[in-house]
Amino acid sequence: MEQQTYTIREMSERFGLPASTLRYYEEIGLLTDVIHTESKKRIYTQQHIDCMTAILCFKRTGLPIAGIQEFFRLEDDIPGNIDQMVAILEEHEQNIREKIERMESDLEHIQQKVRYYSAVRDAIKKIGRAVQQECRDRYRMP
C-alpha cells in the first residue's frame, strides 16, 4: 500500500503555518527525511505530520526550539538516552503545571475585575436613567 504524501501547501494549511516555517524547521533539523523531487518540491509523509504535531505541542507549551532540537536528537537513540528524555519531559511538565497555576491565579484576578466593572457599568446605567427621569420631571413643559 502506497503511503499518503503531502505537499508543503497541504502541510502549511494543516498546521496553520507559513511554508517558510516548514522550510526553516527542515533547515534546523527538526523535520528530517523530507523528500525533494527533481523540481525541488518537498514531499511530506505521516512521519512529518506526527513530528509537526509534537513540535507545535512543545512550542505551545513553552519549550524553546533548542530544547525541541535536543529532545529530537536524543530520540535518535532512545535506549541510550531514555533517562535524559524522561528528565526533559518531567521538567517540561513541571514548568507547564507552574504556568497553569499562575494563569489560574491571573484568571481569578481577571474574573474579579469583570465582576467589579460590570457592577460599575450597571450602576452608571442606573444613575443615568435616574438623572434622565429627574430632568424630564423637573423641566416638563406645561
Side-chain angles (χ1 to χ4, degrees):
M1 188 165 120
E2 192 171 311
Q3 184 177 13
Q4 173 74 40
T5 60
Y6 307 90
T7 64
I8 198 165
R9 173 181 269 196
E10 290 169 323
M11 290 288 284
S12 177
E13 289 172 359
R14 181 180 198 123
F15 291 104
L17 297 170
S20 60
T21 299
L22 295 168
R23 288 189 294 271
Y24 173 70
Y25 288 166
E26 182 182 354
E27 180 183 314
I28 64 171
L30 289 179
L31 282 176
T32 59
D33 303 322
V34 176
I35 298 165
H36 294 253
T37 66
E38 287 181 18
S39 59
K40 305 288 185 206
K41 292 186 178 185
R42 289 168 166 79
I43 304 293
Y44 299 93
T45 64
Q46 184 62 46
Q47 167 196 338
H48 299 109
I49 288 175
D50 296 343
C51 185
M52 280 302 304
T53 301
I55 291 168
L56 294 179
C57 171
F58 283 140
K59 281 185 56 68
R60 276 192 311 271
T61 56
L63 191 65
I65 292 288
I68 299 170
Q69 288 173 308
E70 175 66 6
F71 186 81
F72 285 176
R73 187 190 63 74
L74 293 171
E75 254 187 345
D76 289 340
D77 179 18
I78 293 173
N81 297 318
I82 193 67
D83 290 336
Q84 287 174 276
M85 293 172 70
V86 170
I88 288 170
L89 291 173
E90 286 175 339
E91 180 181 350
H92 189 57
E93 178 184 25
Q94 183 58 38
N95 290 339
I96 292 168
R97 289 184 189 286
E98 289 169 5
K99 282 182 189 175
I100 289 170
E101 284 178 25
R102 286 190 304 270
M103 290 193 78
E104 284 175 346
S105 176
D106 291 344
L107 177 59
E108 287 177 28
H109 183 79
I110 296 298
Q111 288 171 329
Q112 288 174 347
K113 287 199 171 297
V114 167
R115 287 190 297 274
Y116 173 79
Y117 286 107
S118 292
V120 169
R121 179 190 60 205
D122 294 345
I124 290 169
K125 285 180 182 178
K126 188 175 183 180
I127 290 168
R129 284 192 299 271
V131 168
Q132 286 174 350
Q133 187 60 48
E134 185 178 325
C135 288
R136 276 191 221 111
D137 292 344
R138 184 178 288 179
Y139 300 107
R140 209 173 269 171
M141 298 296 275

